[in-house]
Amino acid sequence: MNPDALRGHMDALLLSVLEHEPLHGYAIIEALTERSGGALAVPTGTVYPALRRLERVGYLASEWATVGGRKRRTYRLTASGAKQLAGERSAWREFTGVIGSVLEPGLRRAEVAG
């Protein structure tokens, strides 16, 4: 997948992966790859700075934990992060609806009529 296509959506992807359970950085990257059926191979150089930024703004909290005998920073979604994720999902639905109505106008009319 084109890395430029992810621009502007990384926050929502990261928040979504952390919605149900805390994960360490590498597990977050694995979850992104798994959920996307292998289409997303996001480099650590993209993920870790984004996690730190999301933590700074209060959408994530982290703590050190020992996972498999290794000490790792584990991230979890905060209440503020859950609210942000809901907003990101709403914006995504609106965005895909608008773009879809332009790229496939006949499909949009069929959905409205049906």
Side-chain angles (χ1 to χ4, degrees), residues 47-89:
V47 172
Y48 287 104
L51 290 170
R52 287 190 294 274
R53 184 177 42 73
L54 290 169
E55 186 174 20
R56 273 194 312 273
V57 297
Y59 298 155
L60 298 179
S62 71
E63 59 186 28
W64 287 100
T66 301
V67 179
R70 296 178 63 185
K71 195 168 183 177
R72 298 182 180 194
R73 185 173 290 277
T74 301
Y75 296 88
R76 66 174 174 77
L77 193 65
T78 64
S80 179
K83 183 176 179 182
Q84 178 66 20
L85 177 57
E88 294 276 356
R89 284 184 169 141

